[in-house]
Amino acid sequence: RAKAAGGNRFEFADAEADARAITRHGLTNALPAALERGEFFIEYQPLVHMRDGTVHGAEALVRWSHPQYGVLGPDRFIPLAERTGLIVPLGRWVLEEAVRQARVWQHEHGGAALRINVNLSPTQLHHPGLVADTVAVLEKSGLAPGALCLEVTESALIGADDELLEPLRRLAELGVDIALDDFGTGYSNLANLRRLPVSVLKLDRSFTRGMQQQPADPVDVKIVEGIVALAHSLELAVTVEGVETGAQAAQLRALGCDTAQGWYYARPGAPDRIHTLSLSDAVPTPS
Ligand code: C2E
Ligand code: MG
Ligand code: MG
Ligand code: MG
């Protein structure tokens, strides 16, 4: 009996895995046509200066409006696009659209220095056209290179040799900011940080979860305190992601984090929502 039940369970699990594989397969096949039909769209999530709560910029987060399954998050399709290489044209579309949107914001706010963050996946990093494509997008839009920040995950740079880092170095030389996304989740050889052409550390949500309640988790506080000190000594700015509560925001601000992103400030949303938020250069900076 036990054996039979076990067998059934196995078959059930197997069928479920099959269904998932079929869905994955279907989504993968549908990606190129979806890009052509314009089924992807971008939500923007503000990044806020912790110092005064004003908006520093926004991160572009891609979504797929699937005709059958509804809106799919990037975790559902970015890995598939990575595997097939479609991430290159998709990523180029995201960059172009996000940069265009940043220019629209800047025009609407009389040249306000709003910045735009765009995620890069490992395949894009390896693609030989990365630097030329990025430069072309910036030139076409007229966005200053310093208003663009490319986010690369720590894990994408694990063991990166000079050949892989070269395009990032060139972009950094042009004035583009490079952020190390999800910092702290990969294997972090801290000494290695000096080799990377990054100017921002985006501290992963897992470090700030322990600060959602008061009193905050004392170990998490110590860890963030240490990372902020290290980052600042290397002249890197620190962005914290996943800030969901006021207690967390207050704690992270006290620890010296520079910018923050999270539901406490705003969820990712349509581009026009950025207007409801105050802009950093629209208010006097407190001394
Ligand atoms: P990420 O770059 O680390 O982006 C932050 C993720 O955290 C986003 O998830 C965002 O919606 C979510 N988030 C923001 N604030 C909060 C909060 O307060 N609490 C919680 N629990 N979550 C919060 P999303 O939009 O699902 O994106 C997931 C990942 O997909 C991103 O992680 C990024 O790695 C990737 N991604 C998104 N857009 C693109 C893209 O255009 N290209 C590439 N290559 N990857 C992308
Ligand atoms: Mg990111
Ligand atoms: Mg992140
Ligand atoms: Mg993350």
Side-chain angles (χ1 to χ4, degrees):
R1 273 183 78 104
K3 204 181 168 190
N8 283 339
R9 254 202 313 278
F10 179 71
E11 270 168 37
F12 180 66
D14 223 31
E16 222 175 62
D18 279 352
R20 273 202 303 273
I22 289 165
T23 309
R24 256 199 319 271
H25 187 70
L27 288 179
T28 304
N29 288 339
L31 279 167
L35 184 58
E36 250 168 51
R37 281 198 294 263
E39 289 174 6
F40 295 99
F41 67 100
I42 302 175
E43 286 192 321
Y44 297 88
Q45 186 176 34
L47 273 93
V48 171
H49 285 289
M50 296 217 91
R51 191 187 55 221
D52 57 10
T54 57
V55 175
H56 169 258
E59 178 174 9
L61 296 161
V62 68
R63 279 88 179 85
W64 180 2
S65 180
H66 191 283
Q68 202 179 334
Y69 303 122
V71 174
L72 301 178
D75 293 337
R76 291 288 301 278
F77 61 86
I78 291 286
L80 309 178
E82 269 274 290
R83 227 169 296 147
T84 61
L86 194 87
I87 190 68
V88 171
L90 175 60
R92 205 184 287 133
W93 176 80
V94 171
L95 178 69
E96 191 160 4
E97 176 58 20
V99 162
R100 188 197 61 76
Q101 182 58 58
R103 277 306 269 169
V104 171
W105 287 327
Q106 292 187 343
H107 284 307
E108 287 174 354
H109 292 282
L114 250 185
R115 307 159 55 81
I116 186 76
N117 285 33
V118 176
N119 292 285
L120 278 191
S121 69
T123 305
Q124 289 171 276
L125 270 185
H126 286 94
H127 188 260
L130 175 67
V131 176
D133 284 353
T134 306
V135 169
V137 165
L138 288 172
E139 279 175 355
K140 186 179 161 203
S141 69
L143 190 83
L148 174 66
C149 178
L150 295 174
E151 300 192 359
V152 183
T153 60
E154 188 188 12
S155 53
L157 294 184
I158 287 176
D161 53 16
D162 283 329
E163 201 185 325
L164 183 70
L165 293 177
E166 189 48 34
L168 289 181
R169 286 215 180 94
R170 274 161 64 202
L171 289 166
E173 275 163 23
L174 291 170
V176 174
D177 268 323
I178 311 290
L180 209 48
D181 203 354
D182 299 340
F183 181 75
T185 57
Y187 144 93
S188 30
N189 180 348
L190 291 176
N192 200 30
L193 268 178
R194 283 195 310 175
R195 276 183 61 234
L196 305 176
V198 299
S199 47
V200 182
L201 290 189
K202 282 192 87 170
L203 198 54
D204 191 69
R205 190 159 74 235
S206 51
F207 290 100
T208 57
R209 216 171 272 145
M211 296 174 199
Q212 275 173 12
Q213 296 93 14
Q214 285 294 7
D217 183 296
V219 176
D220 283 342
V221 171
K222 285 275 177 230
I223 290 172
V224 174
E225 201 170 28
I227 292 174
V228 170
L230 173 80
H232 285 171
S233 73
L234 295 172
E235 292 178 347
L236 303 173
V238 178
T239 300
V240 279
E241 46 179 41
V243 179
E244 296 183 355
T245 68
Q248 233 177 338
Q251 180 71 252
L252 290 162
R253 184 175 187 270
L255 289 172
C257 297
D258 303 288
T259 45
Q261 188 179 352
W263 298 344
Y264 173 68
Y265 303 99
R267 299 219 173 205
D272 55 334
R273 279 216 349 239
I274 219 98
H275 295 289
T276 62
L277 301 152
S278 66
L279 296 167
S280 57
D281 53 356
V283 295
T285 312
S287 49

